[in-house]
Amino acid sequence: MAKLDPVQLRLLREVADLHEVPEGAYNIRANGEAAGRNSTANIEITSKTDVSGIDIKIKDGTKNESVHIPVVMSESGLKEMVYNDFYIGKDCDVVIVAGCGIDNCGSHDSEHDGIHRFFIGSNSKVKYVEKHYGSGDGTGKRILDPQTEVYMDEGSYMEMEMVQIKGVDSTRRTTIAALKDNAKLVVRERLMTHGEQTAESIYKVDLNGEGSSADVVSRSVARDQSFQKLDLCVNGNAACSGHTECDSIIMDKGRILAVPSLEANSVDAALVHEAAIGKIAGEQLIKLMTLGLTEAEAEEQIINGFLK
Amino acid sequence: MLKLQNISFTAPDGGKAAEIIRGIDLDIPSDKFIVITGPNGGGKSTLAKLIAGIEKPSGGKLFYEGEDITELGITERARKGIGFAFQQPVRFKGLTVLDLLRIAAGKKLTVSEACEYLSEVGLCAKDYINREVNASLSGGELKRIEIATVLARDVKLAVFDEPEAGIDLWSFNNLIRIFEKMRVTEKKRTVIVISHQERILNIADEIIVLSDGQVIDQGPRERVLPEIMGAKFTADICPKME
Ligand SMILES: Nc1ncnc2c1ncn2[C@@H]1O[C@H](COP(=O)(O)OP(=O)(O)OP(=O)(O)O)[C@@H](O)[C@H]1O
Ligand SMILES: [Mg+2]
């Protein structure tokens, strides 16, 4: 990783927990250019020829392997659109770590829009971790508009951990998924906005197969003047089960709009949604204060726990 | 140790609710095990909250180790060594038992240290340490974790509000042992327990009886307990509504 500057290395730690070149397959993108790539016997990464982005092909039966594809941006005013496609074979068990960190110390907006598509083969198991992070004290905004599409074959399992805790000024994240028979999707989203930030998170899950299921849980905290819109939609088109939950803490002058929706097109679809928005319970603050924390420290602990 | 001078408290949104605590004078001696008892609604929990700084008195003054703490907030009082176990413990989404004990201890407790506090309250650490302090815990479990958070702190004055509530017979024996231990420990501690339980009253050095927002009796157990157990305190008969 000789090509990365200290800011980029810090971003890499924030978004992918990486301190050095990761094991296994990886593709590191820094300021719009490839900064390192490694394919393995089972996981092949190639550049797209028509647009910017990569194809990641994972062979049938690949187990206990990982792919890291972090993106870091440290140059103000960069705007990019990247297409990454994951072709995951049958009977795989892999971990995919994505993530984008933007440091903007300048006055121009920096924007990374990634379109990720996952084609998951039957009976494969995928854990996907995506962290978004922003830093820098410039006036230029840090913008991330990711779009994720997940196509799941029979009996496949996908667990998505989507985290955006700090520093992204504006985000509109859209995730769509389509599930065949007995496929299962689990989403855990953690979102925190502060300052003047806005975040929109949209999920649209189509449960098309018999026995398919989805469990989408979003926990968020809106501080200062920030605004969040959480739009969680599950369509049950077969004998399936779906559960969505948005649980939000609102603080200061934050605003949250939660729009959970369910659509059942089969009599055997069992769908549930829960949504709750509220401020931190006064008694929680009081309890932690009796343990010696200040009110601000207590708030911090409660939020950290909530978003863990 | 703790002195209450003409403390009164009126609920802010009181309306006709009148005074809940009515001009209480109390002197809590150091290193003693004090039990406060009295009828439901008598003002015991309110008094405990006034001591912890959760409620501010509408009149009067509080002195702690000679210092006027009337104007001090919850955090400052906690940092001076006042601990408080709630009658109704609070639940937290996302914080684990270990997190809470670490916050209580104010340092990075090791797992084995945390384990000790939990086993003191009769909980097996391996089953609980990573559990979230949320709605999935039973009332009695939560109550015992609440007590453990006070044990994990280095307090000089510990106030327990009905620690026995919802706790099973086996853990109750444990609880008695904890209180016995707290009074003989080398670290001097003053313990105030609000309780209705005879077995807790039985180990008190001193008993305070609070009724209708006033202290109606305070003295050594040997004198006060027989009076409570006698016919002197019976609940008023409720007048029939027409
Ligand atoms: N914030 C409040 N607003 C109005 N009334 C209150 C408030 N807090 C307490 N009270 C009333 O004050 C009285 C004393 O309450 P408190 O909880 O201190 O009683 P207690 O002695 O602890 O009772 P118990 O034995 O049932 O725990 C009760 O009648 C209660 O309803
Ligand atoms: Mg009470």
Side-chain angles (χ1 to χ4, degrees), chain B residues 164-179:
Chain B
E164 77 273 11
I167 283 189
D168 62 51
L169 271 176
W170 295 269
S171 310
F172 191 82
N173 290 334
N174 246 324
L175 203 60
I176 298 280
R177 220 174 308 133
I178 293 169
F179 292 142

Side-chain angles (χ1 to χ4, degrees), chain A residues 148-210:
Chain A
T148 309
E149 298 174 21
V150 185
Y151 302 96
M152 301 179 67
D153 280 353
E154 289 78 5
S156 61
Y157 174 87
M158 169 82 146
E159 189 183 323
M160 307 175 81
E161 203 182 303
M162 317 282 257
V163 182
Q164 181 184 309
I165 300 292
K166 247 185 141 171
V168 178
D169 293 303
S170 162
T171 193
R172 186 186 154 91
R173 39 169 65 240
T174 311
T175 305
I176 63 172
L179 283 72
K180 292 190 181 163
D181 290 0
N182 299 312
K184 184 176 164 101
L185 175 70
V186 174
V187 177
R188 296 288 175 264
E189 179 179 65
R190 303 280 178 269
L191 194 61
M192 183 162 85
T193 51
H194 47 98
E196 304 280 338
Q197 296 173 352
T198 61
E200 219 176 307
S201 184
I202 301 151
Y203 286 87
K204 189 173 163 295
V205 179
D206 287 316
L207 298 171
N208 299 327
E210 303 276 310

Side-chain angles (χ1 to χ4, degrees), chain A residues 219 245 247-248 276 280-295 297-298 301-308, chain B residues 52 54 74-76 78-79 82-86 88-96 99-100 103-104 106 132 146 149-150 153:
Chain A
R219 277 193 181 178
E245 185 182 329
D247 198 349
S248 303
I280 295 177
E283 53 174 17
Q284 293 183 334
L285 291 173
I286 288 172
K287 170 64 194 171
L288 297 191
M289 287 161 77
T290 67
L291 299 179
L293 301 190
T294 63
E295 189 170 346
E297 288 166 347
Q301 288 281 354
I302 292 165
I303 290 171
N304 287 346
F306 183 72
L307 292 176
K308 200 161 48 192
Chain B
I54 297 166
I74 305 169
T75 311
E76 289 158 300
R79 290 180 178 175
I82 298 178
F84 177 49
F86 288 50
Q88 269 139 6
V90 183
R91 296 174 197 265
F92 295 88
K93 259 185 210 162
L95 287 183
T96 64
D99 291 336
L100 204 57
I103 293 171
E132 276 186 31
E146 177 74 7
T149 63
V150 175
R153 287 185 68 68

Side-chain angles (χ1 to χ4, degrees), chain B residues 9 11-14 17 20-21 38-47 49 55 87 161-162 194 196 210:
Chain B
F9 177 74
D13 53 349
I20 294 168
I21 298 293
N40 293 135
K44 301 178 297 298
S45 294
T46 306
L47 184 66
K49 287 178 188 161
E55 298 287 6
Q87 181 171 6
D161 195 352
E162 295 195 30
I194 295 170
H196 304 289
L210 198 65

